[in-house]
Amino acid sequence: MFKLKKRIFEIIVSSIENPIDRRRWLMAEVADLSPRHNGLDDLEPSEVLVLAALFANGVLDYSKISKLTEVTPSSLDDSIDLLNEYDLVSECPNSEEYQLTVKGESACRDIFKNVVIRKRWELKGDLEDIERQFSKLSEL
């Protein structure tokens, strides 16, 4: 299960790093889940990365979140505060680590599912385009 989550986390990271994907579909997919998960439409890519990192890796301390997400410390503080405000993330009571809440787990599960569905749809389109090109190779 963790391997699957980590692979989907990598897709999310790649999509956030690609301005076209981020603008075209990733953040829209997250915002579309807001009616079921209050607050998702207010999230920035850095907050989505924090959620995804926690979902893919479990409980993490501040430095591991920062390393996985490459979010700057000042932005990470703001991200964690916002995610905590929406009850998506909480600080572990006996350590300085962070974890997803039940609400955060549910939201991430839906985000990860939407990302895989979207990526599958895009890849099918790409494959169909390649097949069309392949069928015309004799015209070269």
Side-chain angles (χ1 to χ4, degrees), residues 34 37-43 82 86 88 103:
S34 193
H37 306 285
N38 182 39
L40 291 186
D41 55 341
D42 290 339
L43 300 186
L82 181 64
Y86 282 117
L88 296 166
K103 180 181 173 184

Side-chain angles (χ1 to χ4, degrees), residues 13-80:
V13 169
S14 170
S15 298
I16 285 177
E17 289 173 350
N18 180 334
I20 294 169
D21 283 349
R22 183 178 62 236
R23 186 175 48 251
R24 189 177 71 201
W25 67 267
L26 179 64
M27 296 311 294
E29 290 288 346
V30 172
D32 284 347
L33 293 169
S34 193
R36 290 197 344 222
H37 306 285
N38 182 39
L40 291 186
D41 55 341
D42 290 339
L43 300 186
E44 296 293 327
S46 58
E47 284 101 24
V48 173
L49 276 177
V50 171
L51 285 176
L54 289 168
F55 190 65
N57 297 282
V59 177
L60 296 171
D61 65 23
Y62 189 90
S63 64
K64 286 182 183 173
I65 295 171
S66 180
K67 183 179 177 182
L68 286 168
T69 62
E70 298 180 359
V71 174
T72 63
S74 62
S75 293
L76 185 55
D77 287 335
D78 292 341
S79 295
I80 290 173

